[in-house]
Amino acid sequence: MQTFKNFSIIFLGLFLFLCSALSLANAEVQQHQFVIQATKVKRLCKTHNSITVNGMFPGPTLEVRNGDTLEVKVVNKCRYNVTIHWHGVRQIRTGWADGPEFVTQCPIRPGGSYTYRFTIQGQEGTLWWHAHSSWLRATVYGALIIHPREGESYPFPKPKRETPILLGEWWDANPIDVVREATRTGATPNISDAYTINGQLGDLYKCSSKDTTIVSIDSGETNLLRVINAALNQPLFFSVANHKFTVVGADASYTKPFTTSVLMLGPGQTTDVLITGDQPPARYYMAARAYQSAQNAPFDNTTTTAILEYKSAPCPAKKGLAPKPIMPSLPAYNDTNTVTAFSRSFKSPRKVEVPTDIDESLFFTVGLGLNNCPPNFHKSRCQGPNGTRFTASMNNVSFVFPRNFSLLQAHQQGIPGVFTTDFPRTPPVKFDYTGNVSQSLFQPIAGTKLYKLKYGSRVQIVIQDTSIVTPENHPIHLHGYDFYIIAEGFGNFNPKKDTSKFNLVDPPLRNTVAVPVNGWAVIRFIADNPGVWLMHCHLDVHITWGLAMAFIVENGVGELQTLQPPPPDLPLC
Ligand SMILES: *[C@@H]1O[C@H](CO)[C@@H](O)[C@H](O)[C@H]1NC(C)=O
Ligand SMILES: *[C@@H]1O[C@H](CO)[C@@H](O)[C@H](O)[C@H]1NC(C)=O
Ligand SMILES: *[C@@H]1O[C@H](CO)[C@@H](O)[C@H](O)[C@H]1NC(C)=O
Ligand SMILES: *[C@@H]1O[C@H](CO)[C@@H](O)[C@H](O)[C@H]1NC(C)=O
Ligand SMILES: *[C@@H]1O[C@H](CO)[C@@H](O)[C@H](O)[C@H]1NC(C)=O
Ligand SMILES: *[C@@H]1O[C@H](CO)[C@@H](O)[C@H](O)[C@H]1NC(C)=O
Ligand SMILES: *[C@@H]1O[C@H](CO)[C@@H](O)[C@H](O)[C@H]1NC(C)=O
Ligand SMILES: *[C@@H]1O[C@H](CO)[C@@H](O)[C@H](O)[C@H]1NC(C)=O
């Protein structure tokens, strides 16, 4: 008895010591191992050998605090090249850990490994991680949750529970075969067969009646849902029957709270919402389905569901007799008005310092294109419209990823011949971007063109959709940065009239902007993170076609403004 008591005292002392050590250090180093491996995953009545992390689909959720350091050893035990991107993490001076293949590293080959090391600096909220190699992110993704520092709190009442909601896209085929087939034929890739919530399809799909994510709530409590659009190619609407959301954050930045009954997230975007158990105890569907802005393009029009279940919901008298959950009404697939109202509701919580006195005023068109088929191509490889091949571009450059060096390595070591720095600051040809575009403008040039920024430059980019082939809402993601979205609109950006719409007071801070279909968005940031940073459409079919470019941000003065040296285990080509 006495011994037991002594032990308890020692344990208590140890516990108190650990607690104080933790709060003093105030930041920790978390180590994880991600094993990329094929795992059997059964969906839609069929078992696939899906590529996963640690055999989990979706992969593990990482939970850290602002200021923590992550060391994730990625071991590639699958048959494909792979890299992991920490979507939205600023990676200040640690560009080598960003992850896009052939941009900041060469792929981790089968049998290889690489440890990503980086520190979360000044970010709080919901981010995620995903493969950044071919279409592997279809199944290789997970949540990255950043809590406030020890002793700090959210700028809203502490929620009772917190649940990540990962929206995904499922193919009843190997996604790598789907993209390879499209690359061969030049046609659009096969559309997905289903969407998922936390990896589950929900009971509206065949063979899925038992595969539904259940999210619990108690009457009166307020919970936080961390919604992530991890789908490959589809912007999605998301709603919960009879409940409203209070939006409090997006892309790991807080927002001025606003209420809405529907969210729209482009792939890559995250949205944090509060939901209160203020309805009669029951079961309510949460549902996601497509927002489709492209015209005459096939899309997956199915609906995925999860269930919001009140803990006090009456139990069904007999199993199987439970009433069907209540279904929310979702906007029409092409309801751009709802999308516009939603995206215009985002503001920073208070006045922010938006860069002014712009050093680099850039104008980038984003959109699709069609390549005429080379004469030596068989017609089976020219299955785009009218015997063409699909392509996509920014400022008429269809981005080609290098294969022999990563861009960052070529930049840092001065290796010539891998890229050029002549990415145009404005479109080479001015035309009515959103009008009836002449077919003579449809074919872009191919190239690995980068744009160089001096350290600390204040950058503005007008991102303009084009109606070439079809206008479309493009989720444009910038690596290594958060940016302010100071305005968006429809038609062609008009510098005379539209500057009056700029919000230089409290614009939202994001890492991915859903550029309105047939419209434009204006973003601003300060180039204070040296490295090579990809900017691309987060619809994977578009990045496959070349809808990308990259910035080189030069080093500034002194160590704190200089890219760190490459880690010794950096995979080379
Ligand atoms: C794409 O769809 C077509 C038509 O349904 C089918 O024949 C083909 O096998 C699919 N491709 C892949 C890679 O699943
Ligand atoms: C979805 O698309 C299919 C094929 O085009 C069509 O038959 C079906 O009616 C559509 N379903 C809905 C709910 O729009
Ligand atoms: C949306 O689709 C509906 C039904 O297909 C169509 O009647 C309507 O004109 C479309 N609206 C827009 C804005 O394209
Ligand atoms: C295919 O060619 C026809 C005739 O030139 C043209 O009207 C049509 O717009 C073309 N389709 C596309 C998608 O460019
Ligand atoms: C890298 O590849 C590019 C494109 O194929 C080629 O032009 C360049 O010479 C290569 N660089 C080196 C150093 O091998
Ligand atoms: C677009 O322009 C082409 C060529 O100038 C013309 O044939 C076609 O009718 C126009 N389409 C529309 C919808 O105005
Ligand atoms: C893109 O460049 C090609 C080659 O110079 C040209 O044919 C095409 O018209 C250009 N298109 C645009 C939109 O600038
Ligand atoms: C895998 O990566 C290596 C080295 O970077 C590259 O040479 C090879 O082509 C890649 N394989 C595929 C299938 O992309």
Side-chain angles (χ1 to χ4, degrees):
M1 199 60 189
Q2 189 59 43
T3 325
F4 178 73
K5 205 171 160 190
N6 279 347
F7 265 123
S8 324
I9 288 167
I10 291 169
F11 272 120
L12 183 69
L14 197 63
F15 177 69
L16 289 176
F17 168 76
L18 280 176
C19 288
S20 60
L22 270 179
S23 63
L24 278 181
N26 215 356
E28 64 173 78
V29 178
Q30 276 195 20
Q31 291 170 330
H32 298 273
Q33 177 154 290
F34 276 18
V35 179
I36 315 288
Q37 61 189 80
T39 306
K40 290 200 179 339
V41 179
K42 188 173 182 188
R43 297 288 183 276
L44 298 173
C45 331
K46 209 158 109 190
T47 303
H48 291 273
N49 256 327
S50 298
I51 307 302
T52 65
V53 167
N54 301 348
M56 295 165 71
F57 172 65
T61 296
L62 300 181
E63 288 203 50
V64 298
R65 290 181 186 278
N66 179 17
D68 286 355
T69 295
L70 273 164
E71 293 185 0
V72 186
K73 180 173 185 186
V74 176
V75 180
N76 186 1
K77 291 197 178 160
C78 83
R79 60 192 173 109
Y80 302 111
N81 284 340
V82 76
T83 67
I84 301 288
H85 169 52
W86 314 92
H87 185 112
V89 173
R90 293 256 355 240
Q91 298 288 5
I92 294 169
R93 301 179 53 229
T94 52
W96 306 105
D98 190 41
E101 72 171 354
F102 302 118
V103 178
T104 59
Q105 67 168 97
C106 295
I108 308 169
R109 275 179 261 192
S113 69
Y114 177 45
T115 301
Y116 293 86
R117 287 192 172 80
F118 54 93
T119 299
I120 307 291
Q121 296 184 56
Q123 298 186 287
E124 283 175 29
T126 305
L127 294 176
W128 59 302
W129 55 264
H130 61 77
H132 213 298
S133 186
S134 184
W135 276 22
L136 284 178
R137 78 172 178 89
T139 51
V140 178
Y141 64 86
L144 170 50
I145 292 168
I146 311 170
H147 296 286
R149 285 175 189 276
E150 187 88 51
E152 294 180 9
S153 52
Y154 299 130
F156 45 83
K158 189 172 163 45
K160 193 73 193 298
R161 296 167 219 266
E162 301 189 3
T163 313
I165 302 282
L166 291 123
L167 309 177
E169 198 168 1
W170 182 260
W171 273 263
D172 195 25
N174 179 347
I176 303 298
D177 292 344
V178 174
V179 65
R180 285 187 179 162
E181 179 181 71
T183 305
R184 192 174 63 246
T185 63
T188 52
N190 287 0
I191 57 170
S192 56
D193 298 285
Y195 300 107
T196 55
I197 298 180
N198 293 350
Q200 301 295 347
L201 305 172
D203 53 18
L204 304 185
Y205 293 99
K206 64 180 178 184
C207 302
S208 308
S209 62
K210 293 197 192 94
D211 304 324
T212 298
T213 297
I214 307 283
V215 178
S216 309
I217 195 164
D218 249 351
S219 288
E221 76 185 19
T222 295
N223 296 340
L224 181 65
L225 304 181
R226 301 173 176 274
V227 189
I228 299 166
N229 186 348
L232 252 75
N233 295 322
Q234 195 63 58
L236 293 166
F237 288 117
F238 177 74
S239 252
V240 178
N242 296 13
H243 289 73
K244 282 205 153 63
F245 304 122
T246 302
V247 176
V248 292
D251 296 1
S253 289
Y254 294 115
T255 61
K256 188 170 286 177
F258 66 93
T259 56
T260 177
S261 56
V262 61
L263 312 180
M264 194 290 287
L265 294 93
Q269 295 186 307
T270 75
T271 306
D272 286 0
V273 301
L274 297 174
I275 183 168
T276 298
D278 56 5
Q279 295 300 307
R283 284 146 42 93
Y284 300 85
Y285 273 128
M286 352 177 92
R289 73 172 193 186
Y291 164 50
Q292 174 69 6
S293 59
Q295 283 153 20
N296 306 318
F299 70 101
D300 176 353
N301 63 6
T302 63
T303 304
T304 181
T305 52
I307 297 171
L308 181 74
E309 185 172 75
Y310 280 67
K311 299 186 94 184
S312 48
C315 285
K318 275 197 198 123
K319 253 202 144 50
L321 283 185
K324 271 254 162 208
I326 300 157
M327 189 69 186
S329 69
L330 284 153
Y333 299 113
N334 61 358
D335 189 349
T336 293
N337 288 340
T338 291
V339 173
T340 307
F342 175 66
S343 67
R344 288 187 181 172
S345 303
F346 283 85
K347 292 194 166 51
S348 280
R350 63 192 70 80
K351 190 179 181 323
V352 289
E353 274 186 39
V354 184
T356 52
D357 303 318
I358 296 301
D359 303 304
E360 295 276 0
S361 185
L362 309 175
F363 188 107
F364 292 177
T365 54
V366 295
L368 304 188
L370 296 175
N371 278 336
N372 297 325
C373 222
N376 58 332
F377 274 30
H378 186 259
K379 68 176 189 313
S380 65
R381 296 176 69 189
C382 308
Q383 294 185 40
N386 297 334
T388 60
R389 293 175 57 83
F390 270 101
T391 180
S393 65
M394 290 173 84
N395 274 356
N396 205 37
V397 184
S398 185
F399 194 75
V400 178
F401 289 83
R403 301 203 66 90
N404 46 5
F405 292 96
S406 74
L407 296 172
L408 189 57
Q409 190 194 355
H411 161 60
Q412 204 237 6
Q413 298 174 359
I415 300 161
V418 179
F419 62 83
T420 55
T421 53
D422 54 347
F423 185 85
R425 62 170 57 227
T426 55
V429 179
K430 314 273 180 288
F431 57 98
D432 177 4
Y433 309 111
T434 51
N436 178 12
V437 182
S438 157
Q439 301 259 338
S440 68
L441 294 171
F442 275 34
Q443 181 162 329
I445 60 158
T448 310
K449 293 181 185 296
L450 275 57
Y451 192 88
K452 206 176 246 186
L453 294 170
K454 284 216 154 41
Y455 183 92
S457 26
R458 287 152 298 194
V459 185
Q460 170 176 297
I461 315 175
V462 176
I463 308 171
Q464 171 74 57
D465 185 28
T466 77
S467 54
I468 292 176
V469 186
T470 171
E472 184 161 4
N473 182 301
H474 295 280
I476 302 294
H477 173 50
L478 174 60
H479 288 233
Y481 287 90
D482 286 328
F483 48 73
Y484 290 111
I485 304 174
I486 61 169
E488 52 181 66
F490 291 99
N492 301 335
F493 176 76
N494 180 337
K496 290 204 180 69
K497 282 191 356 225
D498 291 328
T499 46
S500 69
K501 297 179 187 149
F502 286 2
N503 175 1
L504 301 178
V505 178
D506 57 0
L509 192 60
R510 306 288 304 245
N511 63 50
T512 306
V513 54
V515 177
V517 50
N518 241 322
W520 49 269
V522 184
I523 66 169
R524 284 190 184 180
F525 63 96
I526 296 178
D528 59 1
N529 188 14
V532 174
W533 304 108
L534 191 64
M535 182 157 114
H536 65 96
C537 180
H538 217 281
L539 306 176
D540 274 23
V541 51
H542 292 177
I543 191 172
T544 305
W545 289 338
L547 214 171
M549 59 79 67
F551 287 105
I552 291 181
V553 178
E554 295 176 324
N555 286 330
V557 180
E559 195 191 345
L560 292 178
Q561 299 183 0
T562 299
L563 176 71
Q564 289 178 2
D569 61 341
L570 180 76
L572 304 177
C573 292

